[in-house]
Amino acid sequence: MRYQADIGVFGGSGFYSFLDDVEEVKISTPYGAPSDKIALAKVGDKRVAFLPRHGKDHQYPPHLVPYRANLYAMKELGVRQIIAPTASGSLKPEIKPGDFVVCDQFVDRTCGREDTFFEGPIVKHISAAYPYCERLRELAIKTGKDQGITIHDKGTVVVIQGPRFSTKSESRWYSSMGWDVINMTQYPECILAKELGICYVNIALITDYDAGLEGRDDIPPVNEEEVVKVFEENNEKVKALILEMIKRMDKDVDCPCHHV
């Protein structure tokens, strides 16, 4: 393939609009078209591929994002490491809107999504015990702390089907299970990267308290407007964190993730 990249980022045009010499390319895959064109740019000495997981016009709801095409396109470009920021809700009072969480576990509550590349005749059973790249997690935590961001160094994200938000009862159940963060896109994105031998880290930007917190009538249930508002208020912090991570990343690293 003519086009190549070292690092992938699932993020909208705000992540690369200020970079020079950005080239947008169309990539076809055996799993259909990715969410949108992929933007290729240089960050220092690294070639980076940016792809908005929902599409530039946010035309794909969480349950219809073409996850397999997105990940396969990154693999086709030669990407070996992916940074995946997400807007997420908090299930705990100590994890506040505006905080970042570097997740270390997920719980899948989705249904019907195409969530594996191993559909036969080749069948593999990979371990999902540690779904995220520990090396990239440590880099994200260190970089965030260096930038003065309130960043939580671990968290379990429960992934719901969407596009609706949780009921009060569902949210109460998720909290009672000890889960920390709620999101609609981490599955199967995370595990598809693992199947392809790509390092993957999620940085969850907390935008809300889901359906509210138990015993806190002053905290209203999440709504779309509030999510967008908090995300936009913190977008510059997300960009700064990701760009600094890219600068600190070793593009020639050999990681256990590459040998799943």
Side-chain angles (χ1 to χ4, degrees):
M1 177 177 281
R2 173 188 159 201
Y3 302 106
Q4 291 290 309
D6 306 301
I7 296 164
V9 177
F10 286 123
S13 58
F15 284 101
Y16 57 82
S17 58
F18 56 91
L19 297 174
D20 296 326
D21 299 320
V22 177
E23 183 177 10
E24 291 190 326
V25 298
K26 266 188 172 181
I27 295 181
S28 59
T29 83
Y31 305 97
S35 297
D36 217 310
K37 291 180 180 177
I38 296 179
L40 301 174
K42 289 284 289 276
V43 178
D45 64 338
K46 309 331 190 284
R47 295 163 298 180
V48 185
F50 297 88
L51 174 61
R53 67 164 64 79
H54 294 284
K56 273 189 182 176
D57 298 321
H58 211 88
Q59 65 267 36
Y60 291 103
H63 65 299
L64 294 179
V65 170
Y67 295 102
R68 292 196 297 181
N70 289 352
L71 270 299
Y72 198 89
M74 290 289 188
K75 183 74 171 181
E76 285 282 277
L77 287 168
V79 166
R80 302 177 77 222
Q81 305 177 82
I82 289 175
I83 304 172
T86 56
S88 303
S90 169
L91 298 169
K92 291 186 174 177
E94 63 270 24
I95 301 176
K96 300 176 174 62
D99 290 2
F100 290 9
V101 180
V102 182
C103 294
D104 66 327
Q105 290 287 312
F106 71 75
V107 174
D108 172 30
R109 292 287 302 159
T110 67
C111 59
R113 300 186 183 191
E114 295 177 327
D115 60 357
T116 184
F117 292 108
F118 299 129
E119 294 188 315
I122 297 172
V123 178
K124 300 287 184 183
H125 304 278
I126 68 165
S127 171
Y130 303 101
Y132 296 95
C133 176
E134 194 59 34
R135 179 183 54 82
L136 287 185
R137 287 187 65 257
E138 291 175 2
L139 176 62
I141 294 161
K142 174 71 165 59
T143 305
K145 288 181 177 178
D146 288 348
Q147 293 181 335
I149 295 170
T150 301
I151 192 161
H152 302 262
D153 60 8
K154 63 180 180 179
T156 296
V157 54
V158 54
V159 191
I160 61 173
Q161 179 72 352
R164 71 169 178 85
F165 294 118
S166 305
T167 66
K168 293 280 283 185
S169 293
E170 288 170 334
S171 191
R172 187 181 303 120
W173 174 43
Y174 302 148
S175 295
S176 72
M177 295 300 292
W179 303 332
D180 306 284
V181 176
I182 186 165
N183 173 268
M184 299 179 188
T185 58
Q186 272 301 279
Y187 189 85
E189 191 175 275
C190 169
I191 212 66
L192 290 172
K194 197 170 188 68
E195 285 190 352
L196 292 177
I198 300 173
C199 298
Y200 180 101
V201 63
N202 166 238
I203 302 166
L205 166 58
I206 303 304
T207 56
D208 58 85
Y209 279 118
D210 199 36
L213 292 176
E214 196 72 14
R216 290 285 303 274
D217 295 333
D218 58 314
I219 297 176
V222 59
N223 62 70
E224 187 175 8
E225 292 74 20
E226 186 63 19
V227 168
V228 172
K229 176 176 176 286
V230 177
F231 193 85
E232 288 180 348
E233 287 173 353
N234 289 274
N235 202 29
E236 291 305 315
K237 287 199 296 184
V238 178
K239 282 196 292 187
L241 173 61
I242 289 172
L243 290 174
E244 183 58 28
M245 282 182 65
I246 291 170
K247 290 173 185 175
R248 297 184 184 189
M249 287 165 76
D250 182 354
K251 65 181 180 181
D252 298 317
V253 70
D254 184 26
C255 183
C257 299
H258 301 148
H259 307 284
V260 171

